[in-house]
Amino acid sequence: MIYVTGDIHGDKRRFDAAKRLRRGDTLLVCGDFGFLWEGGAKEERLLKKLGKKKYAIAFVDGAHENFSLLNQYPQGEWNGGKVHLLGGNLYHLMRGEVFTIEGKSFFTFGGGETKDRQAYQDAGKWWPEEAPNMEEMRTGAQNLKQHGLKVDYILTHWPAPKMGGPERDMNALDAYFLALSKEVEYKRWYFGCLHTDRKRTAKNYSLFQEILPVD
């Protein structure tokens, strides 16, 4: 089976709630995975442990990832789309890709925007790669066109259009997702940024700590 959850932020206790997952299952994470943050041997051991889970763990990146570390991992292909291979059953789902898992199609597009950017910059924990670039957006649009502008699920970190959150000016990712929402046929859109577990519309779900079957 395929399950989906929200931001984990490097909290290994979150996997305690995933004990019902079985060998061959897949857990999809909607950004801010957080296990690539400080670097070092301790973090590497934890990543190796996660890669040894009996089920696959695959995540889109959020705003709070160490992209310098993440981008050092080799690229490969998994279920029809491009990924960073973190070892074993652990994968980073790259932006704008379409994956087919258990016969279901998933469009993935990570990234976001840090709210307290200055504080993260002062701490040396902010990376410009958090914001998707135009090439990634074009790749996503091209891949969707190759699939007839139709997928079963959309998986992002940043919210789907008009799904709440703090008042702010529309950024480039907002505009991109707004266009996708009008052009692409999909069953459900899952996102994690708002840190709430809530069905916001018939097709749009905000996830945080819940682990839900995608269907």
Side-chain angles (χ1 to χ4, degrees):
M1 289 186 65
I2 307 168
Y3 297 85
V4 62
T5 192
D7 300 6
I8 294 181
H9 292 288
D11 184 358
K12 61 183 180 181
R13 296 171 299 178
R14 290 281 299 278
F15 292 98
D16 293 341
K19 290 181 179 179
R20 70 179 183 273
L21 272 71
R22 298 290 181 259
R23 186 174 303 278
D25 288 345
T26 302
L27 177 62
L28 303 172
V29 182
C30 295
D32 281 358
F33 187 59
F35 289 96
L36 292 99
W37 192 246
E38 298 291 347
K42 182 179 179 180
E43 197 166 81
E44 289 176 4
R45 287 194 297 270
L46 181 53
L47 287 168
K48 189 174 182 179
K49 185 176 180 180
L50 292 175
K52 289 182 177 179
K53 293 285 188 184
K54 58 190 175 183
Y55 51 87
I57 302 170
F59 65 96
V60 298
D61 53 275
H64 299 146
E65 316 286 0
N66 185 328
F67 289 95
S68 296
L69 291 176
L70 182 58
N71 291 329
Q72 290 178 9
Y73 282 88
Q75 292 186 22
E77 185 173 301
W78 180 73
N79 287 321
K82 294 179 181 178
V83 295
H84 280 115
L85 302 166
L86 277 67
N89 280 331
L90 183 57
Y91 309 93
H92 166 236
L93 306 171
M94 298 182 72
R95 297 172 182 172
E97 296 296 309
V98 177
F99 300 87
T100 302
I101 308 171
E102 296 184 14
K104 301 176 178 66
S105 55
F106 295 80
F107 175 72
T108 64
F109 206 94
E113 184 178 278
T114 299
K115 298 175 185 176
D116 303 319
R117 174 172 162 178
Q118 189 60 54
Y120 281 90
Q121 284 181 311
D122 292 344
K125 292 297 182 182
W126 179 82
W127 289 266
E129 292 93 336
E130 70 174 24
N133 58 46
M134 292 305 298
E135 182 179 353
E136 291 167 334
M137 293 181 184
R138 283 193 293 268
T139 296
Q142 290 168 359
N143 285 336
L144 285 168
K145 286 181 181 178
Q146 290 176 3
H147 285 78
L149 295 177
K150 181 179 180 180
V151 291
D152 293 313
Y153 305 98
I154 296 177
L155 192 74
T156 65
H157 172 66
W158 201 241
K162 301 178 181 179
M163 288 297 114
E167 290 293 327
R168 53 182 171 75
D169 294 333
M170 180 176 286
N171 60 26
L173 190 52
D174 292 318
Y176 183 65
F177 283 173
L178 183 60
L180 292 187
S181 70
K182 295 178 179 178
E183 298 173 4
V184 178
E185 182 181 345
Y186 64 94
K187 294 178 180 178
R188 292 180 184 173
W189 184 324
Y190 293 103
F191 56 92
C193 177
L194 300 183
H195 286 189
T196 59
D197 290 296
R198 179 180 169 188
K199 181 178 180 180
R200 294 184 173 262
T201 70
K203 296 172 63 175
N204 294 278
Y205 289 71
S206 170
L207 287 178
F208 186 28
Q209 295 185 328
E210 287 190 10
I211 299 176
L212 300 177
V214 293
D215 290 320

